[in-house]
Amino acid sequence: MEKRLFYREIPKVDSFLETEEIKELIRLYGREPVTRAVREEEALLRDFIFSSSREEEIKEKIRNFGQAVGQRVQAVFSPDLRRVINATGIILHTNLGRAPIGEMAADHLRDVITGYCNLEYNLMEGRRGERYSHFEALLCSLTGAEAAMAVNNNAAAVMLVLSSLARGGDVVVSRGELVEIGGKFRVPEVISMSGAHLVETGTTNKTHLSDYEKAVSEQTKAFLKVHTSNYRIVGFSELVDAGQIRELAERLDIPVVEDLGSGSFVDLRPFGCEYEPTVQEEIKKGVDLVCFSGDKLLGGPQAGIIAGRRKYIDLIKKNPLTRALRIDKFTAAVLEQTLLEYQAPGRASSRLPVLRMIEESRESIKKRAQRLADLLAPAGAFARIECCPSQSQIGGGAMPLTDLKSMAVTIKPSNMSAAGFERELRALPVPVIGRIKDDRIWLDVRTMGDEDINEAAEQINDLLARTGDRP
């Protein structure tokens, strides 16, 4: 094969820019980005010719050069952050944005952010207001706290609390609760960044109330209780309940701070989940401040919510870090609407996607899995399609011992590996993210909405028809 002949067929940049196809791109996007795209595609084409041993593939690449340039230019002007279909069965998938928000919250958000809003304006009094006011009363009503606020994530909430209450002093924590919270961020590092000093007590598997008492000194400014939501120590183990620490703390006049992590408002045990303490339970025990995430079991936006005693919340609001870590109007709008869903009994379960997915019955899931399999019937000539029992997970570091019984549709393509097909699924206009097991793609429908099922089926049928004809 004479590759030099193919190199000669690569369009020259200057002449290619004068073609009608490219002139239209220049009119839409400008000469500079189009020229850059032509040069980049030209370099890729040269590399492809050099590495390929298949003459027909090279000819096809040359024929489609203009199309490749157009796609590259359009990609530059298109958002990289986009919607995907979560078919992993992991409800709070951190890599896929954790909790999807409800329709009501999405509608409210659009209404708020496409114009001006009263983020820090008191409409009743006609003067400056506070951004926490839109949801503070709701949080207090739902949890029993005296006051509440929110910052941009839970790690920030813990750091801000300790910075406000314990900077320069000691914070006592059980060794069994010095967790890594994800992304290699660890509780000791968060404490250090707050300006407080970590004092470890107890052992990895056992900590007693007496250990907390022995660790107290004149420098002790807070007890920190960290709920181990992303792992469990089982067997010969013991941890001290926040309520028990509260009795000691009250006697010594030292505040108790609890990092609750996932922040559930609902007891999910009736739906096959392990026990997870709710925010209102911990507030009732007398914990001074509870910190938790907004985008986990609560089912709202990314946020670190702080609820508890007013005297401490007021102190935190005066900390200069509060401004650096504060939430914006996007988060405030979604958080308020999410909390409103909890006001009426049972409404959150039907309107918040996270709770709806957790609570969905296996029979309902089975029917939807069969529907997806039926919609994929046209692809039966190019792949083996089956409905199989599956296990879903909560994800996001919540309830690590909980496996929810679910159903998945498995796909085994006839002419490619599962890994190759998985790459093709990620390249779809609306990417479908599943998982590979037993050389098959598994699409767990628990995390797929009805529209996701329709859209995934349409794309997969088209994909398998196209790839099924490849030599």
Side-chain angles (χ1 to χ4, degrees), residues 1-6 49 52-56 58:
M1 181 172 58
E2 290 286 338
K3 288 193 175 183
R4 59 187 179 83
L5 298 178
F6 291 121
I49 293 172
S52 179
S53 59
R54 302 184 66 176
E55 187 172 319
E56 197 54 47
I58 295 173

Side-chain angles (χ1 to χ4, degrees), residues 13-27:
V13 174
D14 291 340
S15 58
F16 191 68
L17 290 174
E18 296 303 316
T19 62
E20 290 303 314
E21 178 184 13
I22 299 304
K23 280 183 177 180
E24 179 62 16
L25 282 176
I26 292 172
R27 186 186 70 79

Side-chain angles (χ1 to χ4, degrees), residues 117-135:
C117 65
N118 61 323
L119 179 64
E120 289 190 352
Y121 185 73
N122 188 317
L123 291 171
M124 292 289 289
E125 300 177 9
R127 60 181 177 81
R128 184 186 179 101
E130 189 179 72
R131 65 184 61 205
Y132 312 115
S133 65
H134 305 292
F135 52 80

Side-chain angles (χ1 to χ4, degrees), residues 28 37 58 88 91 96 279 285 289 374 389 402:
L28 292 171
I58 295 173
T88 65
I91 296 170
L96 303 183
V279 178
K285 290 175 183 176
L289 290 172
D374 292 342
T402 293

